[in-house]
Amino acid sequence: DGGITQSPKYLFRKEGQNVTLSCEQNLNHDAMYWYRQDPGQGLRLIYYSQIVNDFQKGDIAEGYSVSREKKESFPLTVTSAQKNPTAFYLCASSIARTGRSNQPQHFGDGTRLSIL
Amino acid sequence: AQSVAQPEDQVNVAEGNPLTVKCTYSVSGNPYLFWYVQYPNRGLQFLLKYITGDNLVKGSYGFEAEFNKSQTSFHLKKPSALVSDSALYFCAVSPFSSGSARQLTFGSGTQLTVLP
């Protein structure tokens, strides 16, 4: 089945530690996204990428970093600079060719990050 | 800048009754509008979208939504609610564009509870 796989499902971070969240898709989608979800705030865009080796900051990129070395993979690193990392992190993908911005985004099942 | 408002944090409805989850939006030009549903500790699932044409859009699981351009609204509806419809619902908007992958904005979500 085609879809998006996020791992791990639960992750704990110690003070001063960087942690990396994995996101893999086999939908052959061009674009990938990372969102942060906090209770009562909906989804906020952290980073997005439209093609391999290119990515753009979203609304809340500070304290996060990404890479896009392969079309299928878009890992997110939560750095020690992110002072309030506890949240539910969602990865998504979509078709992103010109004229196709009306296509829905497909989501993984998320990673819940907590502070030890 | 575009925005989405979901004025009700919580909606309760009895099983078998009709349900409505409200959404209003603000965007430059014509909008693309989406509804997603989220079950606990899961990602978002696409329900339906409005691109153009008929103002009444039908989607998955018996849901439908009515686009009203004059009121800038896109309310989600279902004629007869099921207990299994209980979940968190998100409205999202994207402007009609040439294909940018960046421009989807989500509302803060509405928790729907269907009472048996």
Side-chain angles (χ1 to χ4, degrees), chain A residues 9 31 33 35 37 40 42-43 45 48 50 59 88 90 96-99 101-105 107-109 112, chain B residues 32 34 36 38 41-44 46 49 51 88 90 94-102 104 106-109:
Chain A
K9 193 166 180 66
Y33 316 78
Y35 293 93
Q37 184 177 15
L43 277 68
L45 183 66
Y48 68 103
Q50 297 195 74
D59 301 316
F88 190 50
L90 288 164
R97 293 186 293 277
T98 298
S101 63
N102 59 7
Q103 297 304 308
Q105 294 182 13
F107 285 80
D109 277 340
R112 190 167 297 279
Chain B
Y32 292 147
F34 304 83
Y36 288 85
Q38 184 181 33
N41 295 312
R42 301 294 300 275
L44 276 64
F46 169 71
K49 67 180 181 182
I51 304 302
L88 186 59
F90 289 97
S94 174
F96 186 91
S97 73
S98 62
S100 168
R102 188 248 184 276
L104 193 62
F106 287 86
S108 57

Side-chain angles (χ1 to χ4, degrees), chain A residues 13 16 18-19 23 25 34 40-41 46-47 49 53 57 62 79-80 97 100 107 109 111 115:
Chain A
R13 196 191 88 168
N18 294 352
V19 292
C23 178
Q25 56 100 358
W34 274 106
Q41 294 192 42
I46 304 172
Y47 270 97
S49 167
N53 292 323
K57 293 182 179 180
E62 185 174 351
T79 75
S80 58
R97 293 186 293 277
R100 300 297 298 275
F107 285 80
D109 277 340
T111 293
I115 296 298

Side-chain angles (χ1 to χ4, degrees), chain A:
Chain A
D1 272 34
I4 300 177
T5 302
Q6 290 189 241
S7 62
K9 193 166 180 66
Y10 299 95
L11 187 58
F12 298 91
R13 196 191 88 168
K14 296 178 181 179
E15 292 289 336
Q17 185 181 45
N18 294 352
V19 292
T20 297
L21 285 60
S22 171
C23 178
E24 304 277 334
Q25 56 100 358
N26 60 4
L27 299 166
N28 198 32
H29 284 170
D30 307 294
M32 297 187 75
Y33 316 78
W34 274 106
Y35 293 93
R36 171 178 170 141
Q37 184 177 15
D38 296 282
Q41 294 192 42
L43 277 68
R44 293 182 288 170
L45 183 66
I46 304 172
Y47 270 97
Y48 68 103
S49 167
Q50 297 195 74
I51 57 172
V52 174
N53 292 323
D54 184 59
F55 47 83
Q56 305 296 327
K57 293 182 179 180
D59 301 316
I60 55 166
E62 185 174 351
Y64 300 97
S65 65
V66 294
S67 63
R68 186 87 186 276
E69 297 177 1
K70 300 186 299 181
K71 187 176 184 178
E72 302 80 15
S73 179
F74 192 42
L76 173 74
T77 296
V78 184
T79 75
S80 58
Q82 173 50 246
K83 297 306 179 187
N84 184 23
T86 297
F88 190 50
Y89 291 86
L90 288 164
C91 179
S93 70
S94 71
I95 297 170
R97 293 186 293 277
T98 298
R100 300 297 298 275
S101 63
N102 59 7
Q103 297 304 308
Q105 294 182 13
H106 297 251
F107 285 80
D109 277 340
T111 293
R112 190 167 297 279
L113 176 62
S114 303
I115 296 298
L116 282 178

